[in-house]
């Protein structure tokens, strides 16, 4: 019997909660980006113009899907309370505004990130998108805090701790890494010549420092630690599971900072040339 099945309140039946709705919207936007990509062959810096909206839509789908899984395990008072409702609306506004701008820029064949070419694009990137990004990671931490405090939630002690620490790490680490990225004019630390080798699928530089691997790690602490808690539950590791999660959280943060430091030294995550 797993940690999730021992002395836990019954899991409420899934319902169309706010985060489930946002997950569906993100999936629809990802599908639209794929379809438009088939009929719009334009490139930005050698990358299809609709790749950016596609990647972000998929990332949002994973974010909101994770939040939805937590939301459905909360008790009704916590799930329906003002804290969760306001957090959901704020995150929805940030998500929709960011996706709208990225898709608008893709339609124009222009970059949405690191684009300071006009007062409008500078305002959107440095202010609107920056505020939206902060709102999204703050909202993630708030959901983790609600799960931590909701003692009636259908969560084992280890999973509760993993959600709280994972969501908190996503907030803290993303603020550090993404905050550093936002003040620069490029994602690279050093020179990445056009046509230089990159890692398959993700496109990270194989020849110079790239801040995106650390950003990726910071964003996905919120999935990594809860997955570890679920694995511990399946393995029947009840004793010391909370302590294991705390040690793993420290290790995950250390690894993320190591990847970040490697990029700052101008070194690729995996050298390719």
């Amino acid at each position: 019997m797993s940690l999730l099945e021992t002395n836990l309140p019954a899991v409420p039946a899934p319902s169309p909660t706010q985060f489930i709705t946002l997950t569906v919207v993100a999936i629809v936007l990802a599908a639209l980006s794929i379809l438009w990509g088939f009929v719009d062959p334009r490139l930005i810096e050698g990358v299809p113009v609709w790749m950016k909206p596609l990647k972000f839509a998929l990332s949002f789908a994973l974010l909101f899907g994770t939040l939805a899984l937590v939301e459905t395990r909360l008790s009704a008072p916590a799930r329906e309370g003002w804290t969760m409702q306001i957090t959901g609306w704020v995150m929805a506004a940030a998500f929709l505004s960011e996706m709208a701008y990225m898709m608008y820029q893709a339609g124009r064949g222009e970059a949405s990130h690191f684009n300071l070419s006009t007062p409008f694009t500078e305002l959107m990137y440095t202010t609107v998108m920056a505020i939206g990004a902060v709102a999204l990671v703050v909202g993630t931490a708030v959901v983790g805090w609600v799960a931590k405090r909701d003692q009636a939630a259908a969560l084992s002690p280890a999973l509760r701790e993993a959600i709280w620490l994972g969501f908190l790490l996503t907030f803290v680490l993303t603020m550090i890494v993404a905050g550093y990225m936002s003040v620069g004019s490029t994602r690279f630390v050093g020179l990445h010549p056009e046509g230089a080798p990159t890692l398959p699928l993700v496109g990270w530089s194989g020849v110079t420092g790239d801040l995106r691997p650390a950003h990726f790690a910071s964003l996905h602490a919120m999935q990594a630690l809860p997955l570890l808690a679920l694995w511990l539950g399946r393995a029947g590791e009840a004793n010391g599971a909370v302590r294991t999660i705390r040690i793993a959280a420290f290790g995950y943060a250390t690894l993320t900072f190591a990847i970040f430091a490697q990029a700052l030294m101008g070194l690729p995550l995996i050298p390719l040339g």
Side-chain angles (χ1 to χ4, degrees), residues 173 177 210 213-214 217 250-265 267-269:
L173 296 175
V177 177
D210 194 325
F250 177 79
Y252 192 97
T254 301
L255 177 62
T256 302
F257 281 124
I259 296 172
F260 186 39
Q262 180 179 355
L264 293 178
M265 290 187 290
L267 302 173
L269 180 67

Side-chain angles (χ1 to χ4, degrees), residues 25 41 67 99 159 175 179 185 187-188 194 210 214 234 247 254:
V25 172
L67 294 175
M99 286 302 305
L159 186 55
M175 289 296 293
S185 59
R187 63 187 67 92
F188 302 118
E194 185 175 352
D210 194 325
R234 294 292 183 185
I247 293 172
T254 301

Side-chain angles (χ1 to χ4, degrees), residues 7-149:
N7 299 321
L8 294 178
V11 179
S15 59
T17 65
Q18 52 191 347
F19 289 123
I20 290 176
T21 301
L22 291 174
T23 303
V24 173
V25 172
I27 293 172
V28 170
L29 292 178
L32 289 175
S33 297
I34 293 173
L35 291 175
W36 283 328
F38 281 121
V39 298
D40 186 351
R42 292 173 299 169
L43 304 176
I44 299 177
E45 298 180 352
V47 179
V49 294
W50 290 100
M51 184 59 69
K52 179 74 72 173
L54 173 60
K55 285 183 176 180
F56 269 77
L58 293 175
S59 179
F60 279 126
L62 180 59
L63 166 66
F64 292 128
T66 302
L67 294 175
L69 289 174
V70 174
E71 186 181 29
T72 55
R73 286 187 170 273
L74 297 177
S75 65
R79 188 170 62 251
E80 298 167 4
W82 280 109
T83 300
M84 285 292 292
Q85 295 302 310
I86 292 174
T87 299
W89 281 110
V90 170
M91 295 183 76
F95 154 60
L96 293 174
S97 63
E98 293 212 0
M99 286 302 305
Y101 177 62
M102 280 185 281
M103 298 180 89
Y104 171 73
Q105 286 295 92
R108 298 177 63 197
E110 296 185 9
S112 54
H113 289 67
F114 302 107
N115 186 346
L116 309 178
S117 59
T118 69
F120 171 70
T121 57
E122 182 176 1
L123 172 68
M124 291 302 297
Y125 177 63
T126 63
T127 304
V128 176
M129 293 189 75
I131 293 174
V134 171
L136 288 163
V137 292
V138 169
T140 298
V142 170
V143 174
W145 176 77
V146 171
K148 173 74 170 176
R149 291 176 55 86

Side-chain angles (χ1 to χ4, degrees), residues 149-192:
R149 291 176 55 86
D150 184 13
Q151 297 303 311
L155 300 169
S156 69
L159 186 55
R160 186 191 310 277
E161 191 73 3
I163 290 169
W164 163 236
L165 291 179
F167 286 24
L168 180 64
L169 276 182
T170 285
F171 164 64
V172 173
L173 296 175
T174 301
M175 289 296 293
I176 294 171
V177 177
Y180 183 88
M181 290 178 66
S182 67
V183 300
S185 59
T186 177
R187 63 187 67 92
F188 302 118
V189 180
L191 180 63
H192 179 84

